[in-house]
């Protein structure tokens, strides 16, 4: 506790790598280098429960985890489509007419 040997640091460095996904670059950490997978998921569940049960700033608001709002929006748009304002729809219809292509908006 409080100090690390060169072997400890090397072992921890092996647990972290950089990944590029969805146009974002970030660290990917292999929890099995630090603890067992089951322990990691148990601790993660406790952390998520603590975050979600926190008192929101505005009474009645919901605490959202990173990415949760985006996942909800994605599901809603897959179900109901992507909202487009009337001016954009009108312009798309105009362009489609100019190009003599169908526009089902």
């Amino acid at each position: 506790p409080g100090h690390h040997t060169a072997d400890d640091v090397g072992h921890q460095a092996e647990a972290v790598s950089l990944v590029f996904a969805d146009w974002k670059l970030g660290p990917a950490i292999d929890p099995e280098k630090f603890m067992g997978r089951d322990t990691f998921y148990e601790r993660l569940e406790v952390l998520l429960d603590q975050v979600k049960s926190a008192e929101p700033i505005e009474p009645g608001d919901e605490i959202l985890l990173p990415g949760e709002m985006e996942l909800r929006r994605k599901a809603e748009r897959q179900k109901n489509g992507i909202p487009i304002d009337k001016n954009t729809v009108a312009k798309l219809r105009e362009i489609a007419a100019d190009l003599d292509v169908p526009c089902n908006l």
Side-chain angles (χ1 to χ4, degrees):
H3 67 283
H4 297 283
T5 66
D7 288 338
D8 291 338
V9 172
H11 179 71
Q12 290 175 357
E14 290 172 8
V16 179
S17 60
L18 290 177
V19 294
F20 184 74
D22 295 326
W23 296 101
K24 298 176 192 119
L25 179 66
I29 301 171
D30 180 359
E32 288 190 356
K33 300 285 184 176
F34 300 98
M35 65 187 79
R37 184 173 296 273
D38 291 340
T39 301
F40 171 76
Y41 283 116
E42 288 169 10
R43 290 182 180 185
L44 182 59
E45 277 299 317
V46 169
L47 174 63
L48 296 178
D49 288 345
Q50 290 173 339
V51 170
K52 294 292 282 183
S53 66
E55 187 71 31
I57 293 173
E58 294 293 326
D61 279 357
E62 180 183 8
I63 302 293
L64 298 175
L65 298 171
E68 195 170 2
M69 184 183 337
E70 293 79 5
L71 288 173
R72 289 179 184 177
R73 185 176 297 126
K74 178 181 177 182
E76 191 274 326
R77 289 183 175 172
Q78 285 176 329
K79 179 181 176 185
N80 300 316
I82 298 171
I84 303 174
D85 67 88
K86 291 178 184 179
N87 292 335
T88 302
V89 170
K91 188 66 175 171
L92 289 171
R93 287 179 177 155
E94 180 184 322
I95 293 168
D98 290 345
L99 298 173
D100 196 30
V101 295
C103 179
N104 298 326
L105 296 176

